[in-house]
Amino acid sequence: THVAPPLVEPLTRREAQMLALLAAGYSRPEIAAHLTLALSSVKFHLHHLYAKLGVSSKRQALSRAAALGLLAPPQPVELPAGPSGRVVAPRPNHNLPMPATR
């Protein structure tokens, strides 16, 4: 079996956060909004993340990260139940319209 070579330099906390968001299917603009960063900062961190992983694309980064055991298994998300016992989606803390896609 082929064992992935280890990282030369460990990921920063921000790079690990971005990797997790990439694995969850977030786009660069969505990562920027989620982490309250400028899109240029997201691009900067992703560039360094890809360099540390030795890859040049999101697909390659996720594959390499999985091979290195850097991706946590997906955790089930439980939404809180409302007064009627029905599951209620969380309300945003702003008055902007909800985005059409995640």
Side-chain angles (χ1 to χ4, degrees), residues 17-94:
Q17 288 174 325
M18 290 192 180
L19 181 60
L21 292 172
L22 283 176
Y26 283 68
S27 67
R28 287 179 179 197
E30 291 167 336
I31 291 171
H34 185 77
L35 297 177
T36 319
L37 293 172
L39 188 55
S40 60
S41 294
V42 172
K43 290 178 182 178
F44 172 83
H45 288 294
L46 287 178
H47 173 77
H48 286 274
L49 172 64
Y50 289 3
K52 287 180 180 180
L53 293 173
V55 300
S56 60
S57 73
K58 175 182 172 180
R59 183 186 54 77
Q60 292 172 340
L62 294 176
S63 176
R64 173 101 164 100
L68 291 169
L70 297 174
L71 296 177
Q75 300 295 318
V77 176
E78 291 189 31
L79 296 175
S84 65
R86 289 189 358 215
V87 172
V88 180
R91 290 189 176 271
N93 58 357
H94 55 74

